């Protein structure tokens, strides 16, 4: 592995962790020898890409990464804004753009419909991968071996409809890959349904676009939402997607 490869692997491990990681933690998680991890950390720390955690042993991401994050974020929004506006106008519901954030998914942009949903989703809000259509749409872009690594051992339940069995989630991803659409029927929030499609976006990053609406409007609007998402992602199979929405 090259020096850049080691540095990238170390940064990924720190980004995916919920707490600071020591050199020993990083060596264990990455499989890179501790001495090589130490050299990578020294180089990253010099550029402020990582910093020592202030309250406990270990390292966290540093301010040196902000310049990359901000530029990437602005580029992502600019490349997708017109499509989001189009979806929101066509369906008359909220359209959202989401990307991976470690072991979660985060909404990075939203176009509100005239009948805007209040207090459900905000830009910057993160969701669990297994209990959201945006999460499932993103997971479906990964091989099962990677999905198993990303999913936590225990899947959190949010509503009575949340799927918490890892095997069932993998089965559901097979369906999502075939249809090109993931569906959330009150799995994350009671009274809210959504559907999303995942793809490699204009910036080269994996992303998901979702249409979110109250449950009482879902049955009537699902066909229009599926068709709108199909225009973004030609791989969407309308028949299979509507079957997932339970409107056929």
């Amino acid at each position: 592995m090259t020096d850049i490869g080691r540095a990238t692997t170390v940064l990924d491990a720190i980004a995916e962790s919920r707490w600071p990681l020591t050199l020993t933690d990083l060596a264990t998680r990455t499989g890179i020898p501790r001495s090589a991890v130490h050299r990578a950390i020294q180089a990253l720390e010099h550029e402020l890409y990582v910093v020592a955690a202030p309250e406990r042993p270990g390292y966290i991401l540093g301010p040196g990464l902000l310049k990359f994050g901000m530029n990437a974020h602005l580029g992502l929004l600019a490349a997708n804004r017109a499509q989001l506006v189009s979806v929101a106008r066509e369906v008359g519901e909220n359209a959202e753009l989401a990307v991976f954030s470690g072991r979660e998914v985060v909404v990075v942009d939203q176009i509100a419909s005239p009948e805007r949903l209040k207090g459900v989703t905000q830009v910057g809000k993160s969701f669990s991968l297994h209990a959201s259509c945006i999460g499932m749409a993103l997971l479906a872009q990964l091989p099962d071996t990677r999905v198993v690594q990303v999913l936590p051992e225990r899947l959190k339940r949010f509503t009575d409809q949340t799927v918490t069995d890892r095997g069932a989630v993998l089965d559901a991803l097979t369906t999502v890959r075939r249809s090109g659409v993931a569906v959330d029927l009150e799995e994350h929030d009671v009274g809210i349904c959504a559907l999303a499609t995942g793809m490699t976006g204009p910036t080269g990053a994996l992303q998901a676009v979702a249409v979110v609406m109250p449950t009482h409007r879902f049955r009537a609007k699902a066909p229009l939402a599926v068709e709108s998402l199909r225009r973004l992602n030609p791989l969407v199979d309308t028949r299979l997607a509507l079957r997932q929405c339970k409107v056929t």
Side-chain angles (χ1 to χ4, degrees):
M1 184 182 294
T2 64
D3 289 343
I4 292 178
R6 280 189 287 270
T8 301
T9 302
V10 167
L11 284 173
D12 285 344
I14 294 174
E16 292 178 359
S17 177
R18 296 179 183 274
W19 51 81
L21 297 179
T22 65
L23 296 178
T24 300
D25 293 332
L26 287 166
T28 300
R29 290 193 177 208
T30 64
I32 299 172
R34 192 178 185 280
S35 59
V37 169
H38 188 212
R39 289 194 297 273
I41 284 291
Q42 285 182 315
L44 293 169
E45 196 172 14
H46 179 73
E47 301 295 336
L48 295 181
Y49 296 157
V50 301
V51 294
E55 297 179 356
R56 57 182 292 180
Y59 295 89
I60 58 176
L61 297 180
L65 292 173
L66 287 176
K67 58 186 176 184
F68 300 112
M70 292 182 68
N71 287 339
H73 181 71
L74 292 174
L76 185 66
L77 301 192
N80 287 279
R81 178 55 68 92
Q83 292 183 327
L84 279 188
V85 170
S86 177
V87 171
R89 287 177 176 173
E90 287 176 1
V91 187
E93 300 291 350
N94 287 11
E96 299 175 355
L97 175 69
V99 296
F100 278 113
S101 177
R103 296 177 184 272
E104 294 182 315
V105 56
V106 64
V107 174
V108 295
D109 200 7
Q110 179 191 81
I111 302 298
S113 73
E115 299 183 77
R116 178 174 181 154
L117 288 174
K118 299 292 186 181
V120 176
T121 305
Q122 297 177 339
V123 172
K125 182 175 181 179
S126 61
F127 289 87
S128 62
L129 292 167
H130 72 282
S132 64
C133 62
I134 49 178
M136 291 292 283
L138 286 171
L139 284 177
Q141 310 306 303
L142 305 178
D144 279 348
T145 52
R146 180 58 178 153
V147 172
V148 170
Q149 294 173 347
V150 171
L151 284 178
E153 288 296 325
R154 299 184 65 181
L155 302 182
K156 182 178 178 180
R157 180 176 296 281
F158 295 89
T159 74
D160 290 343
Q161 305 305 315
T162 306
V163 178
T164 58
D165 179 80
R166 284 163 60 92
V169 169
L170 291 174
D171 289 342
L173 287 175
T174 299
T175 301
V176 174
R177 292 180 184 118
R178 291 176 57 208
S179 69
V181 169
V183 180
D184 174 354
L185 301 177
E186 298 189 326
E187 292 183 32
H188 196 279
D189 296 283
V190 174
I192 300 298
C193 291
L195 59 164
T197 189
M199 68 202 84
T200 299
T203 65
L206 291 180
Q207 63 183 47
V209 174
V211 182
V212 186
M213 65 192 80
T215 300
H216 68 268
R217 294 204 292 264
F218 185 75
R219 184 176 182 84
K221 291 217 173 171
L224 182 58
V226 168
E227 183 59 26
S228 186
L229 292 179
R230 190 185 66 80
R231 279 192 278 275
L232 297 185
N233 180 6
L235 297 179
V236 168
D237 186 313
T238 301
R239 180 180 59 83
L240 291 178
L242 290 177
R243 186 180 299 171
Q244 288 172 259
C245 295
K246 300 181 180 179
V247 296
T248 59

